[in-house]
Amino acid sequence: MTFSGGEPFLRKDLPEIILSAVKYCRPSVLTIPTNGWFTERVVKGSERICKEAPDTQLKINLSIDHNDPHRHDEIRGAPGSWDKLMVTLERLRALNLPNLTIGVHTVISRENDQDFPGIADGLAELGADSYIAECAEERVELQTMELGIGPKADRFRRAAASVLAIDDNANGGVARIVRALRGEYYGRVARLLEGDETAMPVCHAGFLSTHLTAEGDVWSCCVLARSFGNLRDTDFDFRKVWFSGEAERFRQWARERRCACPLANAAYTNMLAEPVAIGRVALGLTKKRTLDPADAAEPGNSKTLASSVYGVTRQ
């Protein structure tokens, strides 16, 4: 389960919300992206969640847009963001909790796509447990529709190749599987950015995954923002919304009109449900995965961190 925002730690009751989800839904992995601005809330909230939910792995993903502090603050439009992030990172590392994973996450966009592999190399040296990147996409909830924030295809390929290079020496079966999945995802996104909509052959959002808004709406995904209904109208009975007529009408629409976008949350679920994708991932476990030979020719010094999405390995 992912608890996203905006900034999730704006809510003082975030730990209570998450611990309630753990009690009733029993997720094995929780992910919270954060800009790291509210250091005390992030650190104390993470510590409480980890200690009160010891059987659940918590991953705190620190959102960092650039390895240059000035550029990060500039992209964020918030001076001082980098300094607060670094304090939050060090405080989280000092917790040293067995079920806490600290990740660094970059959104590849028009604002930074020209600065890879430098960004990947620089951020991989911060000492987090993992480093990942995703493609910027237009989303209703973020008010980014029709803003053209997505990266150029050739620059995305280069950026993604540099991120994969960081994981090149990942140890452990889970870490290698995650890296192979990530390579498949990056390759599909690159083709999609080049105009090949068949790169994302099937989307199972609204079938195998869903997005719950803060207002209680059940969305198929956060890109379409198409509601199946509101939990408040069913006394918070999720099943009544999930199996409603509106939900079935969406699924029929989805069967007839394929939707394609680079949303990572849906893409990884989609790949796990596709035999062809699983086959390609299995092949990726047996050889080094690159998006293009030229893309990976200059990986820089991205050899410092062995990582996985769930922080299984550290180096």
Side-chain angles (χ1 to χ4, degrees), residues 190-201:
R191 288 168 51 203
L192 186 67
L193 292 174
E194 291 166 347
D196 180 8
E197 292 192 355
T198 65
M200 302 289 185

Side-chain angles (χ1 to χ4, degrees), residues 249-272:
R249 281 188 287 274
F250 167 80
R251 294 176 183 124
Q252 184 59 39
W253 174 88
R255 294 184 190 101
E256 296 172 354
R257 180 182 176 186
R258 187 180 59 80
C259 190
C261 79
L263 180 65
N265 286 351
Y268 285 112
T269 304
N270 294 340
M271 289 189 296
L272 291 173

Side-chain angles (χ1 to χ4, degrees), residues 59-99:
K59 182 172 186 183
I60 301 294
N61 265 340
L62 300 173
S63 300
I64 308 183
D65 295 317
H66 210 285
N67 63 310
D68 178 86
H70 174 72
R71 280 292 293 135
H72 170 78
D73 288 2
E74 189 175 59
I75 294 171
R76 289 268 150 177
S81 292
W82 175 273
D83 292 339
K84 289 180 180 294
L85 262 171
M86 294 303 103
V87 174
T88 301
L89 173 59
E90 289 306 311
R91 292 277 303 278
L92 286 171
R93 291 179 64 189
L95 291 176
N96 196 31
L97 295 168
N99 58 331

Side-chain angles (χ1 to χ4, degrees), residues 38-297:
F38 303 99
T39 299
E40 289 300 320
R41 289 191 193 177
V42 174
V43 175
K44 292 182 179 179
S46 299
E47 183 176 23
R48 180 184 171 188
I49 293 167
C50 285
K51 288 183 176 179
E52 294 187 26
D55 297 326
T56 298
Q57 183 79 16
L58 174 65
K59 182 172 186 183
I60 301 294
N61 265 340
L62 300 173
S63 300
I64 308 183
D65 295 317
H66 210 285
N67 63 310
D68 178 86
H70 174 72
R71 280 292 293 135
H72 170 78
D73 288 2
E74 189 175 59
I75 294 171
R76 289 268 150 177
S81 292
W82 175 273
D83 292 339
K84 289 180 180 294
L85 262 171
M86 294 303 103
V87 174
T88 301
L89 173 59
E90 289 306 311
R91 292 277 303 278
L92 286 171
R93 291 179 64 189
L95 291 176
N96 196 31
L97 295 168
N99 58 331
L100 174 63
T101 298
I102 306 162
V104 169
H105 174 272
T106 300
V107 174
I108 305 171
S109 70
R110 290 292 176 98
E111 295 282 351
N112 60 11
D113 62 0
Q114 70 276 17
D115 295 332
F116 284 86
I119 291 176
D121 290 335
L123 296 184
E125 296 179 349
L126 291 179
D129 300 317
S130 70
Y131 176 59
I132 62 173
E134 293 179 7
C135 178
E137 75 272 336
E138 297 180 350
R139 287 160 57 171
V140 170
E141 63 165 348
L142 300 181
Q143 301 176 7
T144 55
M145 299 300 292
E146 300 180 2
L147 293 183
I149 62 172
K152 294 183 178 180
D154 59 336
R155 290 179 177 177
F156 178 82
R157 281 185 176 274
R158 182 174 179 83
S162 66
V163 175
L164 285 176
I166 293 170
D167 280 345
D168 197 31
N169 293 325
N171 297 315
V174 174
R176 291 195 299 272
I177 291 171
V178 169
R179 184 184 184 278
L181 276 169
R182 198 177 298 161
E184 177 71 14
Y185 165 70
Y186 290 152
R188 290 181 176 210
V189 172
R191 288 168 51 203
L192 186 67
L193 292 174
E194 291 166 347
D196 180 8
E197 292 192 355
T198 65
M200 302 289 185
V202 179
C203 185
H204 301 290
F207 295 83
L208 300 180
S209 60
T210 190
H211 181 108
L212 305 181
T213 74
E215 294 78 18
D217 283 309
V218 179
W219 287 351
S220 59
C221 68
C222 57
V223 173
L224 291 178
R226 181 163 171 173
S227 179
F228 294 171
N230 193 290
L231 293 176
R232 289 186 172 92
D233 297 331
T234 62
D235 194 28
F236 293 91
D237 188 335
F238 178 81
R239 291 178 180 83
K240 288 183 179 179
V241 178
W242 190 246
F243 296 107
S244 66
E246 184 59 34
E248 183 52 38
R249 281 188 287 274
F250 167 80
R251 294 176 183 124
Q252 184 59 39
W253 174 88
R255 294 184 190 101
E256 296 172 354
R257 180 182 176 186
R258 187 180 59 80
C259 190
C261 79
L263 180 65
N265 286 351
Y268 285 112
T269 304
N270 294 340
M271 289 189 296
L272 291 173
E274 296 173 20
V276 172
I278 294 299
R280 288 168 59 87
V281 168
L283 181 61
L285 293 175
T286 63
K287 64 179 182 179
K288 181 178 179 180
R289 170 76 177 185
T290 61
L291 300 183
D292 184 273
D295 293 328

